[in-house]
Amino acid sequence: MPHAHPHPPTKPDYLPVYTSQHYAIQEYGDCADASFIRAYIPFNPYRDDNGRVKLIIYLHGFCLGASEIYQSHLLHLVQQGYYVFFPSYQRGFCRYGDTLPATMQDLIKALFNPFPISPHGWFNNAMRSVLHAYEQTRLADAHVDTYLFGHSLGGLFALSWPALAGEKVPEALLPRQIITANPIPDSESLIPTPIRIFGQMTGAYADRVDIAHTGRALDVPVGILHGNGDILVPVKAWERPFEMIASAHKRFYCAQNDPHGKPGLVADHIQAGIDTTFIPDVMAMMSVGGIASENNLNWRYIWHALDQVVRHNTRADQLSFAMGEWSDGVPVKSVRSGTPREC
């Protein structure tokens, strides 16, 4: 007898690859001046066949600087023996507050303090924090391969790292590959048009980060993970910007909404996150494009992409995804890939 409400696929067994279940979390800097960073440090670092350790710089989305929003992914990475740096590059929201009003005040500070808004300033905050953590964790004494992962605004910053960091960081902190989840193509993409125009007229924006400029410096493999349920940054918003990425090894991936079972799988803007309980669900839908929860889109899509690149050295434009089956045996909708137009 068919299931009335098929359940989504269960979580994979990661224990075989969790070779460093013991780890430390070191905090450096100050949330008030956007220098705060969490460094996830494995007690048993993973080393590849050449003896090299792995570092992942993980860049959060706009006003999503609390690591709790992505925490199980961060722990998934450090337990595999990877070092993970998570800079909170905007002011005032580095961890979940005790009450909702305090948290909302933190979000407002992150947006409007300092004024005018400076995406280049946010990027520089992240870069400086990463440099500090790199020195404090003594990774400068190790042989390190660095990978960049970013979500939303953090995805734009990850794609812009080679252009904006350039000679400002040691060669070890330049990425071998870049994976992003639902990135924005420029730093004003998430701002509604009337507010954006008003901001431009009043001088609210000090500067701008745009893949049309920073994409020219991208010469490493790039994988962009998107979803057809993203209403904040629709797939079509990437049609022209994708062409601006200079890398010969780039690919656009697109997960599909799948309402076959209960709960359904929604490939929305917040699909990389696992927890948005710091705000009510209605507000989450309006501000971050969905309600985050850890599910199959994390395990077999977002997480699996980065796992392939870091552990298996798969090139970012050659990723594959097996999305599993609903409890009634129906396959979960597959991931499309190619260019934004092909998704």
Side-chain angles (χ1 to χ4, degrees):
M1 181 177 179
H3 298 179
H5 297 291
H7 303 300
T10 56
K11 188 174 184 176
D13 178 13
Y14 291 115
L15 282 178
V17 297
Y18 284 172
T19 54
S20 186
Q21 294 189 50
H22 298 288
Y23 53 87
I25 301 176
Q26 297 290 339
E27 297 181 350
Y28 308 105
D30 192 333
C31 192
D33 64 7
S35 64
F36 185 78
I37 187 169
R38 279 192 176 91
Y40 294 73
I41 304 169
F43 286 179
N44 181 30
Y46 170 83
R47 286 180 168 82
D48 63 19
D49 293 341
N50 297 315
R52 302 182 68 85
V53 298
K54 308 297 178 179
L55 167 64
I56 297 161
I57 300 172
Y58 199 116
L59 301 172
H60 64 77
F62 180 73
C63 284
L64 299 176
S67 62
E68 291 93 335
I69 297 167
Y70 309 95
Q71 185 76 334
S72 60
H73 191 196
L74 297 168
L75 297 183
H76 171 72
L77 295 169
V78 71
Q79 288 182 97
Q80 292 183 72
Y82 311 145
Y83 291 82
V84 186
F85 292 170
F86 185 90
S88 297
Y89 54 80
Q90 292 171 303
R91 298 168 186 260
F93 187 45
C94 300
R95 54 173 56 87
Y96 280 10
D98 295 328
T99 62
L100 178 61
T103 301
M104 294 310 298
Q105 289 174 12
D106 287 342
L107 287 173
I108 292 171
K109 288 179 182 178
L111 177 57
F112 293 109
N113 184 17
F115 187 88
I117 297 169
S118 175
H120 277 271
W122 293 333
F123 179 90
N124 288 332
N125 292 339
M127 183 181 63
R128 284 192 292 264
S129 296
V130 166
L131 278 168
H132 183 65
Y134 179 70
E135 294 167 355
Q136 292 297 312
T137 53
R138 306 181 75 89
L139 281 179
D141 300 328
H143 297 289
V144 179
D145 287 337
T146 295
Y147 301 84
L148 278 166
F149 176 84
H151 168 234
S152 191
L153 175 62
L156 171 63
F157 285 170
L159 295 169
S160 301
W161 190 274
L164 300 183
E167 298 178 355
K168 300 176 184 177
V169 299
E171 186 176 353
L173 291 180
L174 295 177
R176 293 179 62 85
Q177 301 202 58
I178 298 172
I179 295 291
T180 64
N182 300 78
I184 60 176
D186 66 80
S187 56
E188 296 172 20
S189 294
L190 294 179
I191 301 173
T193 300
I195 299 176
R196 184 167 63 248
I197 294 174
F198 177 77
Q200 292 167 346
M201 294 174 60
T202 58
Y205 309 117
D207 47 54
R208 174 188 176 97
V209 177
D210 192 330
I211 198 67
H213 300 111
T214 61
R216 301 168 187 169
L218 267 175
D219 59 0
V220 299
V222 170
I224 295 179
L225 312 176
H226 216 284
N228 72 347
D230 190 336
I231 59 174
L232 293 185
V233 185
V235 170
K236 66 180 181 180
W238 266 98
E239 288 182 359
R240 292 191 64 187
F242 187 73
E243 299 173 1
M244 304 299 176
I245 295 175
S247 175
H249 304 296
K250 60 182 179 181
R251 200 163 187 85
F252 195 93
Y253 302 90
C254 193
Q256 308 296 303
N257 288 342
D258 193 339
H260 176 72
K262 187 175 182 179
L265 296 172
V266 184
D268 55 21
H269 190 71
I270 197 66
Q271 62 181 333
I274 58 96
D275 187 346
T276 47
T277 57
F278 67 98
I279 50 177
D281 288 351
V282 172
M283 191 175 295
M285 292 292 295
M286 296 173 57
S287 61
V288 299
I291 302 165
S293 64
E294 186 182 329
N295 61 33
N296 197 59
L297 290 170
N298 298 103
W299 309 321
R300 292 179 171 84
Y301 185 42
I302 306 293
W303 296 13
H304 186 54
L306 197 53
D307 287 350
Q308 289 179 76
V309 165
V310 179
R311 180 171 291 267
H312 302 294
N313 200 32
T314 304
R315 214 170 63 197
D317 62 325
Q318 296 180 344
L319 304 179
S320 60
F321 303 93
M323 298 300 291
E325 298 179 344
W326 295 90
S327 59
D328 61 356
V330 174
V332 174
K333 288 186 177 180
S334 61
V335 173
R336 299 174 182 171
S337 68
T339 68
R341 287 188 176 86
E342 294 171 318
C343 284

